[in-house]
Amino acid sequence: MNPANTRPPPLLYDRPRMRDVTKPGWPLEPVSADLRRLIDACAAYVVEHVDSLPEQPSFDVDGAAELASSFAEPVPETGCAIEAILARLGPAVLKSFTTAGPGYLAFIPGGGIPAAALADFVATSVNRFVGVAAAAPALARIEAQAIAWLAGLMGYPAAAGGILTSGGSLSNLAALVAARAAKLPENFLGGTVYLSEETHLSVLKAARIAGFPDGNVRRIPVDGRFRLRPDLLQEAVEEDLAHKRRPFFVVANVGTTNTGAIDPLPEILDIARRHDLWVHADAAYGGFFRLVPEGAARMPLIERCDSITLDPHKGLFLPYGTGCLLVRDTDALRRAHRMEAGYLQDVSAGLGTPNFTDLSPELSRDFRGLRLWLPIMLHGLRAFRDQIQEKLDLALLAHEALKDDPLFEMLDAPQLSIVAFTARPPRGDPDAFGAEVLRRVNARRRVFLSSSTIGGRYVLRICVLSFRTHADRVRDAVTALREEARLLAGA
């Protein structure tokens, strides 16, 4: 006990929130004026960065390794000024692929609209837990409503549901786990998975993580437009049944990464229903093209698939790390993922909104729903629809400009917003010629394109999906391709 005439020192949280200006660093909870200064400094950096995006090179990694090595440093014991931190961060941002810029036409771009950044700032500042609805009922409802909006856009019934994830990889994994629980016994090792040769790598990885041997994954050949062949799917399923295996899961691509191909959904669904297979539409890239007037006709019957992967960080231009899994039967997710824990008994009731912890592999997670809900509320759906339509039009513009060029050969007319083509030089190795053309085009740093290998051929790709990409930048890409190809061919 303390002597009668002494008092215990004040607790830390009894002390006034005041920064000692004689010492470096900042308290974990700055006073209001200091907090505003921090926010204003970051806001100024972001505004300047966004304003400069049209003039930034499409990529710049010269000297990036040396810059990266400068961040290999001991943990600081005391802090430093926000201005100094941003001064170091700025060059690190610039020495990278300019994925948020208008010239990024490589791989599948992610957008990063400013409204979503504002939503993340608010969400992480209020720092509410939405994994269980009882902890933040209205915020959990906001996220559930945003998911319901996406389900409705895909044509799903009102009873459908889903989860927001970090992206297509986890969405595909959660779908496979749900299908495993719905279609297979506890000893599931006889289950077989079907996908096309063009299906995204994440599905193969999901099968392995979910416990299926690589030999249980059937890669079905594609047709001349790079779509899964239903006749060969039927043959593979019948062969597995004859060998006492358990067909249970088939992936239908709605926009492949290589060419944007859309698999024949009606035929796949017909085969699946005859053999009791779970049909999963991997629409991470292509799903949001359903928003345009002719979109539903491009992906007929997607609303009948058991599950759909969407990536709002692709087709809705949100920041990387924003994925979604939709399911026609929400209980299928619940049966696969829900587990009981005594420490959750006080918040087990969903209050009319599902507990996302019951539907997902995740327990602790951020409030992702705001970065989807706020931009839609702020801009309205029409703004996104108009942007998506423009991307389809721009892909057609590039295709029309290149399809009759003797130095290039189109693989297919764009099914979505990807233009895939090979080089056709007057002499020499087409693959080497194509790779050198790509290197030269990218070296201009006005646009950044990527390549792939399809059927053993070196393929160049233009993928238009940034809300900042418009006709001028696509014309720059076409002009650069033509000029560099002619210079290289000596024409």
Side-chain angles (χ1 to χ4, degrees):
M1 297 181 62
N2 293 314
N5 293 329
T6 64
R7 299 178 61 187
L11 296 174
L12 178 63
Y13 48 78
D14 287 334
R15 297 171 185 165
R17 293 191 303 154
M18 183 178 298
R19 182 164 65 94
D20 184 348
V21 296
T22 66
K23 296 180 180 179
W26 293 77
L28 295 182
E29 187 163 28
V31 297
S32 298
D34 285 342
L35 178 59
R36 183 171 296 279
R37 177 186 162 194
L38 292 171
I39 294 170
D40 288 347
C42 292
Y45 165 76
V46 169
V47 170
E48 182 179 358
H49 172 75
V50 171
D51 283 348
S52 71
L53 279 171
E55 286 72 47
Q56 287 184 27
S58 59
F59 80 106
D60 181 8
V61 291
D62 294 346
E66 292 80 5
L67 178 62
S69 67
S70 72
F71 288 91
E73 57 191 337
V75 60
E77 186 61 33
T78 58
C80 59
I82 186 64
E83 293 81 5
I85 295 171
L86 292 173
R88 291 191 67 194
L89 181 63
V93 171
L94 294 176
K95 288 296 180 180
S96 61
F97 296 173
T98 312
T99 50
Y104 189 77
L105 307 173
F107 306 102
I108 295 182
I113 56 176
L118 298 176
D120 278 359
F121 173 71
V122 173
T124 54
S125 296
V126 301
N127 195 32
R128 294 299 192 263
F129 180 71
V130 298
V132 292
L139 301 184
R141 180 67 255 173
I142 284 174
E143 184 158 324
Q145 184 59 60
I147 293 169
W149 286 343
L150 299 189
L153 293 175
M154 294 301 110
Y156 264 2
I163 53 172
L164 297 183
T165 69
S166 62
S169 294
L170 283 187
S171 297
N172 288 336
L173 174 60
L176 182 58
V177 170
R180 186 186 69 188
K183 299 292 185 182
L184 296 176
E186 185 174 353
N187 183 356
F188 56 79
L189 291 180
T192 51
V193 175
Y194 303 86
L195 44 83
S196 90
E197 295 173 335
E198 293 293 301
T199 296
H200 195 270
L201 172 65
S202 64
V203 180
L204 296 168
K205 186 180 291 188
R208 184 178 293 178
I209 294 171
F212 294 97
D214 291 351
N216 288 37
V217 179
R218 307 284 180 262
R219 305 193 71 170
I220 308 300
V222 295
D223 63 17
R225 301 196 70 192
F226 307 100
R227 303 170 300 184
L228 181 146
R229 286 183 52 182
D231 58 327
L232 298 183
L233 171 64
Q234 176 69 31
E235 288 181 12
V237 171
E238 290 177 351
E239 180 181 353
D240 282 328
L241 288 170
H243 287 85
K244 307 301 181 184
R245 303 186 186 103
R246 295 290 298 270
F248 82 103
F249 188 81
V250 58
V251 178
N253 297 303
V254 181
T256 60
T257 298
N258 274 335
T259 66
I262 301 173
D263 289 338
L265 288 164
E267 291 88 342
I268 293 171
L269 283 160
D270 182 60
I271 295 169
R273 296 302 172 247
R274 281 188 270 121
H275 297 288
D276 193 29
L277 308 183
W278 179 292
V279 181
H280 175 63
D282 186 355
Y285 157 58
F288 288 111
F289 288 99
R290 197 176 190 273
L291 271 63
V292 303
E294 75 280 11
R298 292 174 182 261
M299 50 197 80
L301 303 185
I302 190 173
E303 69 276 6
R304 296 190 184 178
C305 293
D306 298 287
S307 54
I308 303 172
T309 284
L310 297 171
D311 270 354
H313 64 217
K314 296 184 173 79
L316 289 186
F317 320 115
L318 300 189
Y320 290 119
T322 315
C324 180
L325 172 66
L326 301 174
V327 290
R328 284 183 62 88
D329 178 12
T330 308
D331 283 339
L333 277 181
R334 187 173 288 107
R335 288 190 295 269
H337 294 96
R338 186 172 190 235
M339 300 185 75
E340 301 288 347
Y343 55 81
L344 292 176
Q345 64 186 16
D346 296 337
V347 291
S348 60
L351 303 177
T353 300
N355 287 331
F356 298 121
T357 56
D358 293 340
L359 309 179
S360 164
E362 294 180 293
L363 296 176
S364 297
R365 51 177 287 265
D366 58 331
F367 177 25
R368 294 191 187 107
L370 198 63
R371 68 160 61 169
L372 176 61
W373 182 84
L374 188 150
I376 293 175
M377 290 294 294
L378 182 67
H379 299 295
L381 193 61
R382 180 182 297 175
F384 295 92
R385 182 181 289 111
D386 291 347
Q387 282 279 349
I388 293 167
Q389 182 64 61
E390 183 192 30
K391 305 319 155 198
L392 293 171
D393 297 341
L394 292 176
L396 286 175
L397 184 154
H399 177 265
E400 291 301 307
L402 292 171
K403 69 182 178 65
D404 296 324
D405 192 303
L407 294 177
F408 299 109
E409 178 183 346
M410 299 294 106
L411 267 64
D412 188 19
Q415 296 180 48
L416 292 173
S417 68
I418 294 175
V419 184
F421 51 100
T422 60
R424 191 165 57 184
R427 67 194 69 84
D429 179 11
D431 289 357
F433 184 90
E436 179 59 17
V437 168
L438 179 67
R439 188 195 68 77
R440 293 185 179 199
V441 168
N442 286 345
R444 295 186 176 198
R445 302 196 180 183
R446 180 68 175 167
V447 297
F448 186 47
L449 311 183
S450 62
S451 69
S452 187
T453 299
I454 306 176
R457 302 172 71 188
Y458 184 91
V459 174
L460 294 90
R461 298 170 64 260
I462 298 173
C463 182
V464 190
L465 201 63
S466 171
F467 69 102
R468 293 188 172 102
T469 300
H470 305 294
D472 61 331
R473 203 60 65 114
V474 173
R475 291 193 183 101
D476 287 346
V478 169
T479 298
L481 284 163
R482 285 175 145 178
E483 290 179 353
E484 296 298 345
R486 275 159 179 70
L487 288 170
L488 187 60

